Amino acid sequence: MFDELGSGPPDGVVFVADSSPTALLDNVAWVQKLNTEVSTRGFDLGKLPAAFQYNKRNVAGALSVEQLRRAINPWQHPDGEAIAARGVGVFETLKQVSRGVLEELRKAP
């Protein structure tokens, strides 16, 4: 998964979280792994273009968006809800991270 990061900073990052209550600890663990990997390569996840997608919003007992934000998005990156299996919210997440990437490109000399 992380081998694709290469030597330079990633253009953008999308983190897809599972909204199921039973997946919260896995979501937290994966965000920590991502943050560690990005940090090990000398980058700050908080400063990279990123978007968080809270997927599986249709599952019974889905965690609230606010619970997910508090648990896995301390950087307050753009985020949104999705039901990827139905295509709901997927394009919106792509637009969010794309905006961040374009903003970074505009800053480049």
Side-chain angles (χ1 to χ4, degrees), residues 2-10 35-43:
F2 298 117
D3 291 338
E4 291 84 29
L5 285 177
S7 59
N35 190 39
T36 299
E37 185 65 28
V38 168
S39 295
T40 324
R41 293 170 187 259
F43 306 107

Side-chain angles (χ1 to χ4, degrees), residues 19-107:
S19 296
S20 305
T22 57
L24 182 60
L25 293 178
D26 285 339
N27 289 328
V28 170
W30 278 109
V31 166
Q32 289 172 343
K33 287 178 185 180
L34 174 62
N35 190 39
T36 299
E37 185 65 28
V38 168
S39 295
T40 324
R41 293 170 187 259
F43 306 107
D44 181 349
L45 183 57
K47 294 181 181 175
L48 292 174
F52 280 66
Q53 181 186 90
Y54 309 123
N55 192 26
K56 298 186 180 179
R57 299 304 302 156
N58 58 329
V59 300
L63 296 167
S64 73
V65 169
E66 191 52 41
Q67 287 173 302
L68 290 163
R69 280 183 183 135
R70 280 194 311 267
I72 63 173
N73 188 5
W75 308 275
Q76 299 177 346
H77 283 299
D79 60 10
E81 301 179 73
I83 305 172
R86 296 184 191 157
V88 175
V90 175
F91 188 66
E92 289 77 4
T93 304
L94 176 61
K95 287 193 296 189
Q96 288 174 325
V97 74
S98 296
R99 280 187 203 107
V101 170
L102 290 172
E103 286 175 25
E104 288 300 309
L105 289 173
R106 286 186 191 114
K107 293 178 192 176

